[in-house]
Amino acid sequence: MPWGKLMMWLFLLSDTFVFSIFLTGYMTVRLSAMESWPNPSEVFALTIAGHHIPLVLIAIMTFILITSSGTMAMAVNFAYRGDRRRTVYFMLATAALGATFVCMQAFEWTKLILDEGIRPWGNPLGAAQFGASFFMITGFHGMHVTAGVIYLAVIARRVASGRYEEKGYHNVEISGLYWHFVDLVWVFIFALFYLW
């Protein structure tokens, strides 16, 4: 196993522990809260053309991340075939989808802060711990997605310049491992924050 791949697996293992601790802490806080927990269908709803649609933004964000896993898998596939042009195309498509996700998350945060009045230290809709838990965990995940977008852009640029022609395309696969991990973590955040 290449050294870089081993290091990425170790990093992902340590990150798994961090996210596990965050999500376990969130569940503990939520189960022990004395005040009512805000209803996700109400808090995360959007009003479009006069219709109150629950979780529509979150559903689109989730679809975007799942789609980005598909484009990343295509990038790795084309990298091992030696098709630089398609590898770069799918890596940039993955980065663009990730950037779109981050922008939508910024919109979601803005809506919660300005429209709903939710802050990390308070929540007018119920349990005060809701804001702290939500902003900490989704913010931490959003930082990972942002870092991933930058990481993918750098690797795509190196692929385009032909830097991996002789060394092999292990770095594309390593960046894919990171990206799939970020997507997988989102599935757990989605289930625990938005569906529970």
Side-chain angles (χ1 to χ4, degrees):
M1 178 183 291
W3 180 253
K5 192 172 180 179
L6 176 63
M7 290 298 103
M8 178 57 78
W9 275 115
L10 290 176
F11 170 74
L12 296 181
L13 181 64
S14 65
D15 233 16
T16 299
F17 289 132
V18 174
F19 274 108
S20 299
I21 290 168
F22 280 173
L23 291 174
T24 304
Y26 161 73
M27 288 188 286
T28 304
V29 164
R30 180 165 177 175
L31 290 173
S32 62
M34 301 300 287
E35 297 176 90
S36 64
W37 204 259
N39 182 355
S41 296
E42 294 295 324
V43 175
F44 300 109
L46 285 182
T47 302
I48 301 173
H51 298 283
H52 199 66
I53 306 175
L55 299 176
V56 63
L57 180 66
I58 311 307
I60 295 170
M61 289 168 65
T62 302
F63 176 76
I64 286 172
L65 268 195
I66 290 172
T67 303
S68 75
S69 261
T71 56
M72 190 66 229
M74 294 293 288
V76 173
N77 184 27
F78 281 117
Y80 278 111
R81 290 183 187 184
D83 189 335
R84 279 175 34 197
R85 187 177 63 80
R86 289 185 178 164
T87 301
V88 171
Y89 170 77
F90 279 106
M91 289 193 77
L92 292 178
T94 305
L97 289 168
T100 304
F101 176 88
V102 171
C103 290
M104 294 177 80
Q105 191 173 47
F107 172 79
E108 177 190 36
W109 276 38
T110 303
K111 178 183 173 298
L112 289 179
I113 293 170
L114 298 180
D115 296 348
E116 307 292 346
I118 297 172
R119 305 284 192 277
W121 54 86
N123 171 26
L125 304 177
Q129 300 92 333
F130 173 81
S133 303
F134 176 79
F135 289 119
M136 181 184 72
I137 294 175
T138 60
F140 192 62
H141 179 263
M143 284 172 43
H144 277 72
V145 176
T146 303
V149 168
I150 297 168
Y151 182 32
L152 290 178
V154 170
I155 297 296
R157 181 180 169 88
R158 290 179 177 177
V159 171
S161 69
R163 184 168 176 167
Y164 300 129
E165 281 293 307
E166 293 184 8
K167 296 178 182 176
Y169 288 93
H170 299 296
N171 283 329
V172 176
E173 184 183 0
I174 292 169
S175 64
L177 287 173
Y178 177 84
W179 194 258
H180 293 310
F181 171 79
V182 167
D183 290 354
L184 179 63
V185 168
W186 177 254
V187 172
F188 287 98
I189 293 174
F190 175 75
L192 290 174
F193 261 105
Y194 301 101
L195 298 181
W196 181 21

